[in-house]
Amino acid sequence: MSQTPPGPKGQPVFGSSRQYARDPFTFVTTLERAYGGVSQFDMGPLETYMVTDPDAIQRILVSDAANFQKPAFQDDALGDLLGEGLLLSEGETWQKQRELANPAFNMSRLSGMADRIVGHAESMVDGWAAGDVIDAEEAMTGVTLNVILDLMMGVELDEERVAHVREQLEPLGKRFEPDPIRFALPDWVPMPDDAEFDSAVTELETVIEEIVAQRRDDIGEEGDDDAPMDFLSILLRARGRGEQSDEQLRDEMMTMLLAGHDTTALTLTYTWYLLSEHPEVERRVHAELDEVLDGGQPTMADVRDLEYTTWTIEEAMRLYPPVYTIFRSPKRTVEIDGYTVPQGASIMLPQWAVHRSEEYWEDPETFDPERFSPERRKDRPRFAYFPFGGGPRHCIGKHLAMLEARMIVATVADQYRLEFQGDSPLELLPTLTAHPRQEMSMEVVPREDRS
C-alpha cells in the first residue's frame, strides 16, 4: 500500500525551510543518508518530496517526463527574470523554441567554433603575468560570457560592458538565496532586496536591447545557406516571419546570457580549485596536454584525446555540481518507489546529494577523476550523475559547455598552474547555482615542467 515517505518533522509555518536555508547542501545529504531514495519535508507551506533514487529520477526526467512539469513556485522572481525562455517555458512554447534553438547548438556547428573558444581563452591568458593573483571565478565568468556572446549572439562587447553585465549577477543571485521568510510569505509581499533585483534585470534588458539593435541588419537572408546560425540570428529571422514576439526574444536572450555562461564558469572555477588542491591529478592533466597538444593550441581534433582532462572536469561537476538541485511537479497524483506523491507537489531532485551518495559512489568525498573511466562507470546507474539534467528537458547547452570547458582548461593549463590562495574546504553560497562564498584568489604560476 502506498504511504507518505519518511522525513524530518519541521516547525510550524516554516517547516524545514530554516534548516534548508542555513545549509541546503548538508540538509539534502543528511536526508539522503537518513531516509534513502525518497523523503518528504515541508519548505514553508510547500510540501516537498526529495528523490535520490537514480531509477526514480530517470523515470521523472525521461521515461515518464510527460507527466511532470516545472513547478509553479518558479513562476515568481525566476519567471520575472527569464520569462518564457527555454529554461522555464512549457508545452508548445517550449517545443517551438527548442526546435528553433537546436541548429545553434548542433555539434557540427559547434565543432567549427572550437578555435573561437580558444581565441577567447588566449585573450584572457594574454592579460596575465607570472605572479599575478586573479579571482578565478571572475576570470571564468568573463571568458564564458565572451564565448556565449560570440557563439550564440554573434557580438563582441568591450571589457567595460562585459564588466557591467558581471556586476548585475550579484543582486540577481542574492534574490535566489534560500530564505525561510520568503518560503513562508506570499510572492506579492515586498522584500528588502527586491529593488536591487529589479534594477539588475532592467540593466540586463538594456544590454540585450543594445545587442539586438546591433544585430538587426546582420542576420542574413531567409533560406541563405551562408546565413549566420547563432541563436540570436535564428530568432531575429523567426521574428521577421512573424513567429517570434519581442517579449519572447527578450526572454530567450536573457536565458542565454545568464544560463549560457554561469554553469560553465562555475565548473571551470571548481576545476581549478580541485587541481590546485590535488597536485597528482594536476600532473596527469599536464602530462596529457603535453602529449596531445605537443606545444600547440588545442583544436577540435584534440578533444577526443583529452580523456583524463575530460574525466577531471566531469569529476569536478560531480563534487561541485553548479546546478545542485532541480525541481519537477507531477501533473497528476503518482507513485514513486511505493510512496504517493500528490498532484502539484514539489519534487526535488538534488544532484548534490546523489553525486555524493555512498550508495552509488565509493569514498564519495574524494576527488578521483578515474571514476569516469569506461571500466568504472559501466555498472553505475545512469542517473547517479546528472549535472545537465536529463530527458527531453536536458540542458541544450551541454555539448557547448563540455567543449568550452575542455578548450579553456587545455589553453590555460598548457601554460600555467593556478594556485589557490584561500582556505579549504570551500564554503558555498546557494543561489540558483552553487557559488563559492569566498573570493577564489589564485596565483598565476608558469609551468616549469612544460615540455
Side-chain angles (χ1 to χ4, degrees), residues 361-381:
W361 304 92
E362 182 180 350
D363 198 10
E365 303 295 322
T366 299
F367 180 56
D368 178 10
E370 289 197 66
R371 297 178 195 277
F372 289 90
S373 66
E375 298 77 21
R376 289 178 61 182
R377 76 194 307 168
K378 65 181 179 180
D379 296 326
R380 189 180 303 139

Side-chain angles (χ1 to χ4, degrees), residues 7 30 55 74-75 151 155 171 232 236 244 275 309 326 336 338 366 369 395 398:
T30 300
D55 291 338
Q74 291 189 333
D75 290 341
L151 271 59
V155 298
L232 178 54
L236 287 171
Q244 199 76 190
L275 286 174
T309 302
I326 58 178
I336 298 176
T366 299
C395 174
K398 67 179 182 180

Side-chain angles (χ1 to χ4, degrees), residues 48-68:
T48 303
Y49 294 77
M50 192 179 91
V51 177
T52 59
D53 170 20
D55 291 338
I57 293 170
Q58 183 163 2
R59 173 194 163 193
I60 292 166
L61 295 180
V62 184
S63 59
D64 200 21
N67 285 318
F68 297 87

